[in-house]
PDB file of all heavy atoms in Angstrom:
ATOM      1  N   HIS A   5      -2.555  -1.391   7.290  1.00  0.00           N
ATOM      2  CA  HIS A   5      -1.477  -0.893   8.207  1.00  0.00           C
ATOM      3  C   HIS A   5      -0.420  -1.960   8.325  1.00  0.00           C
ATOM      4  O   HIS A   5      -0.750  -3.125   8.738  1.00  0.00           O
ATOM      5  CB  HIS A   5      -2.068  -0.498   9.571  1.00  0.00           C
ATOM      6  CG  HIS A   5      -2.892   0.678   9.544  1.00  0.00           C
ATOM      7  ND1 HIS A   5      -2.501   1.883  10.108  1.00  0.00           N
ATOM      8  CD2 HIS A   5      -4.142   0.900   9.039  1.00  0.00           C
ATOM      9  CE1 HIS A   5      -3.452   2.784   9.906  1.00  0.00           C
ATOM     10  NE2 HIS A   5      -4.440   2.188   9.286  1.00  0.00           N
ATOM     11  N   LEU A   6       0.828  -1.717   8.069  1.00  0.00           N
ATOM     12  CA  LEU A   6       1.933  -2.594   8.207  1.00  0.00           C
ATOM     13  C   LEU A   6       2.532  -2.495   9.618  1.00  0.00           C
ATOM     14  O   LEU A   6       2.681  -1.410  10.179  1.00  0.00           O
ATOM     15  CB  LEU A   6       3.005  -2.397   7.118  1.00  0.00           C
ATOM     16  CG  LEU A   6       2.642  -2.577   5.719  1.00  0.00           C
ATOM     17  CD1 LEU A   6       3.844  -2.559   4.855  1.00  0.00           C
ATOM     18  CD2 LEU A   6       1.928  -3.925   5.526  1.00  0.00           C
ATOM     19  N   GLN A   7       2.831  -3.688  10.145  1.00  0.00           N
ATOM     20  CA  GLN A   7       3.379  -3.750  11.552  1.00  0.00           C
ATOM     21  C   GLN A   7       4.895  -3.447  11.489  1.00  0.00           C
ATOM     22  O   GLN A   7       5.632  -4.316  11.087  1.00  0.00           O
ATOM     23  CB  GLN A   7       3.109  -5.098  12.178  1.00  0.00           C
ATOM     24  CG  GLN A   7       1.604  -5.432  12.285  1.00  0.00           C
ATOM     25  CD  GLN A   7       0.898  -4.502  13.164  1.00  0.00           C
ATOM     26  OE1 GLN A   7       1.441  -4.024  14.218  1.00  0.00           O
ATOM     27  NE2 GLN A   7      -0.357  -4.163  12.830  1.00  0.00           N
ATOM     28  N   SER A   8       5.230  -2.231  11.739  1.00  0.00           N
ATOM     29  CA  SER A   8       6.712  -1.919  11.753  1.00  0.00           C
ATOM     30  C   SER A   8       6.972  -0.771  12.781  1.00  0.00           C
ATOM     31  O   SER A   8       6.109  -0.019  13.122  1.00  0.00           O
ATOM     32  CB  SER A   8       7.175  -1.401  10.344  1.00  0.00           C
ATOM     33  OG  SER A   8       6.555  -0.225  10.030  1.00  0.00           O
ATOM     34  N   ALA A   9       8.182  -0.749  13.318  1.00  0.00           N
ATOM     35  CA  ALA A   9       8.532   0.297  14.279  1.00  0.00           C
ATOM     36  C   ALA A   9       8.434   1.671  13.643  1.00  0.00           C
ATOM     37  O   ALA A   9       7.505   2.458  13.910  1.00  0.00           O
ATOM     38  CB  ALA A   9       9.921   0.011  14.876  1.00  0.00           C
ATOM     39  N   THR A  10       9.387   1.999  12.839  1.00  0.00           N
ATOM     40  CA  THR A  10       9.326   3.228  12.067  1.00  0.00           C
ATOM     41  C   THR A  10       9.950   2.895  10.677  1.00  0.00           C
ATOM     42  O   THR A  10      10.952   2.098  10.677  1.00  0.00           O
ATOM     43  CB  THR A  10      10.134   4.353  12.714  1.00  0.00           C
ATOM     44  OG1 THR A  10      11.436   3.896  13.025  1.00  0.00           O
ATOM     45  CG2 THR A  10       9.363   4.834  13.956  1.00  0.00           C
ATOM     46  N   PRO A  11       9.517   3.576   9.647  1.00  0.00           N
ATOM     47  CA  PRO A  11       8.420   4.542   9.644  1.00  0.00           C
ATOM     48  C   PRO A  11       7.079   3.773   9.781  1.00  0.00           C
ATOM     49  O   PRO A  11       6.962   2.588   9.504  1.00  0.00           O
ATOM     50  CB  PRO A  11       8.501   5.185   8.305  1.00  0.00           C
ATOM     51  CG  PRO A  11       9.173   4.135   7.367  1.00  0.00           C
ATOM     52  CD  PRO A  11      10.104   3.341   8.308  1.00  0.00           C
ATOM     53  N   TYR A  12       6.033   4.580  10.207  1.00  0.00           N
ATOM     54  CA  TYR A  12       4.709   4.084  10.210  1.00  0.00           C
ATOM     55  C   TYR A  12       4.156   4.050   8.749  1.00  0.00           C
ATOM     56  O   TYR A  12       4.342   4.980   8.055  1.00  0.00           O
ATOM     57  CB  TYR A  12       3.798   4.931  11.061  1.00  0.00           C
ATOM     58  CG  TYR A  12       4.246   5.013  12.542  1.00  0.00           C
ATOM     59  CD1 TYR A  12       4.917   6.080  13.029  1.00  0.00           C
ATOM     60  CD2 TYR A  12       4.000   3.891  13.407  1.00  0.00           C
ATOM     61  CE1 TYR A  12       5.319   6.144  14.368  1.00  0.00           C
ATOM     62  CE2 TYR A  12       4.427   3.952  14.695  1.00  0.00           C
ATOM     63  CZ  TYR A  12       5.137   5.055  15.226  1.00  0.00           C
ATOM     64  OH  TYR A  12       5.541   5.103  16.472  1.00  0.00           O
ATOM     65  N   ILE A  13       3.599   2.892   8.399  1.00  0.00           N
ATOM     66  CA  ILE A  13       3.210   2.742   6.973  1.00  0.00           C
ATOM     67  C   ILE A  13       1.815   2.240   6.799  1.00  0.00           C
ATOM     68  O   ILE A  13       1.362   1.353   7.496  1.00  0.00           O
ATOM     69  CB  ILE A  13       4.223   1.678   6.298  1.00  0.00           C
ATOM     70  CG1 ILE A  13       5.666   2.101   6.428  1.00  0.00           C
ATOM     71  CG2 ILE A  13       3.815   1.457   4.866  1.00  0.00           C
ATOM     72  CD1 ILE A  13       6.618   1.040   5.948  1.00  0.00           C
ATOM     73  N   ILE A  14       1.106   2.909   5.816  1.00  0.00           N
ATOM     74  CA  ILE A  14      -0.156   2.390   5.376  1.00  0.00           C
ATOM     75  C   ILE A  14      -0.003   2.149   3.845  1.00  0.00           C
ATOM     76  O   ILE A  14       0.544   2.993   3.140  1.00  0.00           O
ATOM     77  CB  ILE A  14      -1.323   3.368   5.579  1.00  0.00           C
ATOM     78  CG1 ILE A  14      -1.430   3.757   7.106  1.00  0.00           C
ATOM     79  CG2 ILE A  14      -2.649   2.776   5.147  1.00  0.00           C
ATOM     80  CD1 ILE A  14      -2.490   4.748   7.351  1.00  0.00           C
ATOM     81  N   ALA A  15      -0.522   1.078   3.361  1.00  0.00           N
ATOM     82  CA  ALA A  15      -0.449   0.748   1.940  1.00  0.00           C
ATOM     83  C   ALA A  15      -1.801   0.437   1.402  1.00  0.00           C
ATOM     84  O   ALA A  15      -2.654  -0.159   2.038  1.00  0.00           O
ATOM     85  CB  ALA A  15       0.496  -0.365   1.646  1.00  0.00           C
ATOM     86  N   VAL A  16      -2.098   0.847   0.142  1.00  0.00           N
ATOM     87  CA  VAL A  16      -3.326   0.541  -0.575  1.00  0.00           C
ATOM     88  C   VAL A  16      -2.974  -0.169  -1.879  1.00  0.00           C
ATOM     89  O   VAL A  16      -2.600   0.512  -2.849  1.00  0.00           O
ATOM     90  CB  VAL A  16      -4.213   1.695  -0.827  1.00  0.00           C
ATOM     91  CG1 VAL A  16      -5.434   1.294  -1.712  1.00  0.00           C
ATOM     92  CG2 VAL A  16      -4.675   2.357   0.445  1.00  0.00           C
ATOM     93  N   PRO A  17      -3.077  -1.508  -1.977  1.00  0.00           N
ATOM     94  CA  PRO A  17      -2.869  -2.199  -3.231  1.00  0.00           C
ATOM     95  C   PRO A  17      -4.015  -1.836  -4.159  1.00  0.00           C
ATOM     96  O   PRO A  17      -5.224  -1.771  -3.749  1.00  0.00           O
ATOM     97  CB  PRO A  17      -2.892  -3.672  -2.895  1.00  0.00           C
ATOM     98  CG  PRO A  17      -2.758  -3.711  -1.371  1.00  0.00           C
ATOM     99  CD  PRO A  17      -3.412  -2.483  -0.897  1.00  0.00           C
ATOM    100  N   ILE A  18      -3.686  -1.608  -5.467  1.00  0.00           N
ATOM    101  CA  ILE A  18      -4.724  -1.178  -6.418  1.00  0.00           C
ATOM    102  C   ILE A  18      -4.828  -2.242  -7.514  1.00  0.00           C
ATOM    103  O   ILE A  18      -3.805  -2.510  -8.180  1.00  0.00           O
ATOM    104  CB  ILE A  18      -4.456   0.217  -7.014  1.00  0.00           C
ATOM    105  CG1 ILE A  18      -4.292   1.263  -5.925  1.00  0.00           C
ATOM    106  CG2 ILE A  18      -5.484   0.558  -8.050  1.00  0.00           C
ATOM    107  CD1 ILE A  18      -3.850   2.638  -6.410  1.00  0.00           C
ATOM    108  N   PHE A  19      -6.038  -2.829  -7.623  1.00  0.00           N
ATOM    109  CA  PHE A  19      -6.264  -3.733  -8.699  1.00  0.00           C
ATOM    110  C   PHE A  19      -7.350  -3.172  -9.644  1.00  0.00           C
ATOM    111  O   PHE A  19      -8.374  -2.630  -9.171  1.00  0.00           O
ATOM    112  CB  PHE A  19      -6.821  -5.077  -8.139  1.00  0.00           C
ATOM    113  CG  PHE A  19      -5.747  -5.923  -7.456  1.00  0.00           C
ATOM    114  CD1 PHE A  19      -5.322  -5.551  -6.196  1.00  0.00           C
ATOM    115  CD2 PHE A  19      -5.251  -7.023  -8.067  1.00  0.00           C
ATOM    116  CE1 PHE A  19      -4.354  -6.333  -5.585  1.00  0.00           C
ATOM    117  CE2 PHE A  19      -4.276  -7.766  -7.484  1.00  0.00           C
ATOM    118  CZ  PHE A  19      -3.791  -7.453  -6.213  1.00  0.00           C
ATOM    119  N   ILE A  20      -7.071  -3.258 -10.938  1.00  0.00           N
ATOM    120  CA  ILE A  20      -7.976  -2.745 -11.957  1.00  0.00           C
ATOM    121  C   ILE A  20      -8.316  -3.867 -12.934  1.00  0.00           C
ATOM    122  O   ILE A  20      -7.481  -4.484 -13.488  1.00  0.00           O
ATOM    123  CB  ILE A  20      -7.370  -1.515 -12.738  1.00  0.00           C
ATOM    124  CG1 ILE A  20      -7.029  -0.386 -11.800  1.00  0.00           C
ATOM    125  CG2 ILE A  20      -8.352  -1.084 -13.814  1.00  0.00           C
ATOM    126  CD1 ILE A  20      -6.414   0.793 -12.418  1.00  0.00           C
ATOM    127  N   GLU A  21      -9.640  -4.136 -13.056  1.00  0.00           N
ATOM    128  CA  GLU A  21     -10.093  -5.230 -13.921  1.00  0.00           C
ATOM    129  C   GLU A  21      -9.478  -6.508 -13.612  1.00  0.00           C
ATOM    130  O   GLU A  21      -9.059  -7.263 -14.508  1.00  0.00           O
ATOM    131  CB  GLU A  21      -9.914  -4.798 -15.386  1.00  0.00           C
ATOM    132  CG  GLU A  21     -10.774  -3.597 -15.759  1.00  0.00           C
ATOM    133  CD  GLU A  21     -10.585  -3.093 -17.145  1.00  0.00           C
ATOM    134  OE1 GLU A  21      -9.498  -3.535 -17.790  1.00  0.00           O
ATOM    135  OE2 GLU A  21     -11.378  -2.409 -17.688  1.00  0.00           O
ATOM    136  N   GLY A  22      -9.219  -6.799 -12.334  1.00  0.00           N
ATOM    137  CA  GLY A  22      -8.607  -8.106 -11.953  1.00  0.00           C
ATOM    138  C   GLY A  22      -7.099  -8.172 -11.982  1.00  0.00           C
ATOM    139  O   GLY A  22      -6.559  -9.130 -11.574  1.00  0.00           O
ATOM    140  N   ASN A  23      -6.463  -7.095 -12.461  1.00  0.00           N
ATOM    141  CA  ASN A  23      -5.035  -7.068 -12.581  1.00  0.00           C
ATOM    142  C   ASN A  23      -4.419  -6.085 -11.642  1.00  0.00           C
ATOM    143  O   ASN A  23      -4.937  -4.968 -11.409  1.00  0.00           O
ATOM    144  CB  ASN A  23      -4.575  -6.696 -14.007  1.00  0.00           C
ATOM    145  CG  ASN A  23      -5.120  -7.696 -15.067  1.00  0.00           C
ATOM    146  OD1 ASN A  23      -4.971  -8.921 -14.851  1.00  0.00           O
ATOM    147  ND2 ASN A  23      -5.723  -7.252 -16.115  1.00  0.00           N
ATOM    148  N   GLU A  24      -3.248  -6.418 -11.072  1.00  0.00           N
ATOM    149  CA  GLU A  24      -2.573  -5.516 -10.108  1.00  0.00           C
ATOM    150  C   GLU A  24      -2.014  -4.356 -10.880  1.00  0.00           C
ATOM    151  O   GLU A  24      -1.220  -4.504 -11.848  1.00  0.00           O
ATOM    152  CB  GLU A  24      -1.418  -6.270  -9.430  1.00  0.00           C
ATOM    153  CG  GLU A  24      -0.828  -5.423  -8.312  1.00  0.00           C
ATOM    154  CD  GLU A  24       0.209  -6.252  -7.451  1.00  0.00           C
ATOM    155  OE1 GLU A  24       0.367  -7.407  -7.754  1.00  0.00           O
ATOM    156  OE2 GLU A  24       0.752  -5.636  -6.539  1.00  0.00           O
ATOM    157  N   TYR A  25      -2.368  -3.168 -10.485  1.00  0.00           N
ATOM    158  CA  TYR A  25      -1.964  -1.893 -11.141  1.00  0.00           C
ATOM    159  C   TYR A  25      -0.773  -1.278 -10.378  1.00  0.00           C
ATOM    160  O   TYR A  25       0.189  -0.745 -10.962  1.00  0.00           O
ATOM    161  CB  TYR A  25      -3.144  -0.887 -11.132  1.00  0.00           C
ATOM    162  CG  TYR A  25      -2.791   0.449 -11.688  1.00  0.00           C
ATOM    163  CD1 TYR A  25      -2.286   0.654 -12.917  1.00  0.00           C
ATOM    164  CD2 TYR A  25      -2.977   1.583 -10.832  1.00  0.00           C
ATOM    165  CE1 TYR A  25      -2.015   1.947 -13.400  1.00  0.00           C
ATOM    166  CE2 TYR A  25      -2.667   2.889 -11.267  1.00  0.00           C
ATOM    167  CZ  TYR A  25      -2.188   3.055 -12.526  1.00  0.00           C
ATOM    168  OH  TYR A  25      -1.872   4.307 -12.965  1.00  0.00           O
ATOM    169  N   GLY A  26      -0.750  -1.374  -9.082  1.00  0.00           N
ATOM    170  CA  GLY A  26       0.338  -0.833  -8.284  1.00  0.00           C
ATOM    171  C   GLY A  26      -0.104  -0.679  -6.835  1.00  0.00           C
ATOM    172  O   GLY A  26      -1.116  -1.116  -6.421  1.00  0.00           O
ATOM    173  N   THR A  27       0.693   0.047  -5.983  1.00  0.00           N
ATOM    174  CA  THR A  27       0.450   0.234  -4.637  1.00  0.00           C
ATOM    175  C   THR A  27       0.706   1.632  -4.273  1.00  0.00           C
ATOM    176  O   THR A  27       1.768   2.203  -4.648  1.00  0.00           O
ATOM    177  CB  THR A  27       1.282  -0.700  -3.744  1.00  0.00           C
ATOM    178  OG1 THR A  27       1.107  -2.057  -4.107  1.00  0.00           O
ATOM    179  CG2 THR A  27       0.918  -0.526  -2.267  1.00  0.00           C
ATOM    180  N   LEU A  28      -0.222   2.236  -3.501  1.00  0.00           N
ATOM    181  CA  LEU A  28      -0.038   3.618  -2.995  1.00  0.00           C
ATOM    182  C   LEU A  28       0.325   3.523  -1.510  1.00  0.00           C
ATOM    183  O   LEU A  28      -0.276   2.850  -0.681  1.00  0.00           O
ATOM    184  CB  LEU A  28      -1.357   4.397  -3.115  1.00  0.00           C
ATOM    185  CG  LEU A  28      -1.352   5.929  -2.900  1.00  0.00           C
ATOM    186  CD1 LEU A  28      -0.396   6.568  -3.910  1.00  0.00           C
ATOM    187  CD2 LEU A  28      -2.810   6.508  -3.060  1.00  0.00           C
ATOM    188  N   TRP A  29       1.493   4.189  -1.228  1.00  0.00           N
ATOM    189  CA  TRP A  29       2.058   4.095   0.195  1.00  0.00           C
ATOM    190  C   TRP A  29       2.012   5.436   0.870  1.00  0.00           C
ATOM    191  O   TRP A  29       2.254   6.453   0.293  1.00  0.00           O
ATOM    192  CB  TRP A  29       3.520   3.642   0.091  1.00  0.00           C
ATOM    193  CG  TRP A  29       3.806   2.367  -0.590  1.00  0.00           C
ATOM    194  CD1 TRP A  29       3.905   2.162  -1.985  1.00  0.00           C
ATOM    195  CD2 TRP A  29       4.062   1.106  -0.055  1.00  0.00           C
ATOM    196  NE1 TRP A  29       4.166   0.883  -2.305  1.00  0.00           N
ATOM    197  CE2 TRP A  29       4.229   0.176  -1.081  1.00  0.00           C
ATOM    198  CE3 TRP A  29       4.091   0.647   1.286  1.00  0.00           C
ATOM    199  CZ2 TRP A  29       4.534  -1.154  -0.868  1.00  0.00           C
ATOM    200  CZ3 TRP A  29       4.384  -0.733   1.475  1.00  0.00           C
ATOM    201  CH2 TRP A  29       4.592  -1.610   0.415  1.00  0.00           C
ATOM    202  N   LEU A  30       1.745   5.392   2.193  1.00  0.00           N
ATOM    203  CA  LEU A  30       1.780   6.577   3.033  1.00  0.00           C
ATOM    204  C   LEU A  30       2.780   6.263   4.185  1.00  0.00           C
ATOM    205  O   LEU A  30       2.626   5.221   4.864  1.00  0.00           O
ATOM    206  CB  LEU A  30       0.368   6.880   3.577  1.00  0.00           C
ATOM    207  CG  LEU A  30       0.198   8.239   4.190  1.00  0.00           C
ATOM    208  CD1 LEU A  30       0.345   9.361   3.211  1.00  0.00           C
ATOM    209  CD2 LEU A  30      -1.185   8.325   4.842  1.00  0.00           C
ATOM    210  N   LEU A  31       3.715   7.204   4.408  1.00  0.00           N
ATOM    211  CA  LEU A  31       4.759   6.922   5.465  1.00  0.00           C
ATOM    212  C   LEU A  31       4.983   8.142   6.323  1.00  0.00           C
ATOM    213  O   LEU A  31       4.890   9.285   5.821  1.00  0.00           O
ATOM    214  CB  LEU A  31       6.123   6.572   4.819  1.00  0.00           C
ATOM    215  CG  LEU A  31       6.150   5.426   3.842  1.00  0.00           C
ATOM    216  CD1 LEU A  31       5.967   5.924   2.403  1.00  0.00           C
ATOM    217  CD2 LEU A  31       7.489   4.699   3.901  1.00  0.00           C
TER     218      LEU A  31
END
């Protein structure tokens, strides 16, 4: 959960086999 006023944000960083694949965001 990121600390911000608005928008409210949750992020999930995705790592596959030790490498960063990307990030999934919910707002």
Side-chain angles (χ1 to χ4, degrees):
H5 290 252
L6 296 188
Q7 301 296 323
S8 63
T10 55
Y12 299 104
I13 301 174
I14 305 179
V16 174
I18 301 174
F19 285 77
I20 300 177
E21 297 178 342
N23 299 312
E24 187 174 358
Y25 173 61
T27 303
L28 192 61
W29 304 80
L30 193 66
L31 305 93

